[in-house]
Amino acid sequence: MRVVIAGGHGKIALLLQRHLVGRGDTAVGLIRNPDQAATLRAAGATPVVCDLEHTPLAQLADHLDGADAVVFAAGAGPGSGAARKDTVDRAAAALLADAATRAGVHRYLLVSSMGVDTPPAPGSDDVWAAYLRAKRAAEDDLRGRDLAWTVLRPGRLTDDPPTGRVTLTPYAGSGAISRTDVAHVLAALLDEPRTTGATLELVDGPTPIAEAIRAAAS
């Protein structure tokens, strides 16, 4: 399987790339900064310099040629303002979907966030509120497309060692999840087309990942 990952230098993306390559797949990471290419190569992935805020649709579609799936794991990141939450977390996700459609790549995984269904509380930080709105808008846009999409909403992310056990349901409640477990769940979702059309929340839990994926697919 050839998988193109937007936001290829992010923590989850790097873990996903290592995992995919380790099981024999091909991982391609889209990055904005060419200085990050060596890190992707060390993970076994193929880096492609592609700024999703400024790349034309046709050029991005060319980068997806021959892919079996795309994963949107990009984000404006800490320190960015409200405007970039929209241009990256929403608009870049939509651009990747446009490019996937143009390139004939049907499978699309979107890494979103828990909490996007609830409007930001009065007095919330403007940037945080913009982030939640952007993630929700990206989800809504994807749901209207003729793609085999799955939305994954992780809980609070940690760098703890993976447990391989999760709660993966449409409404998982509050909780945390290791980034490595998120990466492993993404890889498992790529293998399970019956999760198409599902929006799944992910936190630590008692269920082995393979079993949780089977339950979500049913």
Side-chain angles (χ1 to χ4, degrees):
M1 180 184 297
R2 182 178 179 85
V3 183
V4 178
I5 303 162
H9 193 256
K11 290 183 177 181
I12 290 173
L14 286 168
L15 291 163
L16 176 59
Q17 288 163 75
R18 290 190 187 99
H19 184 62
L20 290 172
V21 171
R23 70 181 200 175
D25 293 322
T26 299
V28 178
L30 303 181
I31 53 175
R32 182 167 60 95
N33 184 349
D35 293 340
Q36 298 168 343
T39 304
L40 270 70
R41 292 191 186 97
T46 300
V48 172
V49 178
C50 177
D51 185 346
L52 293 176
E53 291 177 277
H54 300 102
T55 298
L57 171 60
Q59 183 179 337
L60 179 55
D62 286 344
H63 293 319
L64 305 187
D65 185 48
D68 299 292
V70 296
V71 178
F72 187 84
S80 59
R84 291 201 68 228
K85 300 303 182 189
D86 183 70
T87 58
V88 178
D89 293 88
R90 179 199 61 80
L95 177 65
L96 184 66
D98 287 340
T101 299
R102 183 163 178 159
V105 182
H106 203 48
R107 189 72 168 116
Y108 187 122
L109 302 188
L110 174 68
V111 181
S112 186
S113 174
M114 291 178 68
V116 301
D117 287 332
T118 304
S124 294
D125 176 76
D126 288 345
V127 175
W128 173 247
Y131 168 79
L132 292 178
R133 286 194 296 268
K135 287 296 188 187
R136 179 54 192 259
E139 290 187 10
D140 290 343
D141 173 82
L142 189 58
R143 292 188 184 103
R145 294 178 181 268
D146 185 22
L147 292 170
W149 57 265
T150 303
V151 173
L152 183 66
R153 296 173 171 176
R156 180 175 56 84
L157 297 169
T158 75
D159 292 319
D160 294 341
T163 67
R165 293 177 176 270
V166 301
T167 295
L168 181 69
T169 61
Y171 301 99
S174 62
I177 185 72
S178 80
R179 288 179 172 87
T180 303
D181 278 326
V182 175
H184 291 177
V185 167
L186 286 169
L189 287 170
L190 288 170
D191 294 335
E192 183 44 89
R194 292 179 300 163
T195 58
T196 292
T199 298
L200 300 169
E201 296 186 349
L202 174 67
V203 295
D204 287 331
T207 309
I209 288 174
E211 183 179 332
I213 294 290
R214 286 194 296 271
S218 65

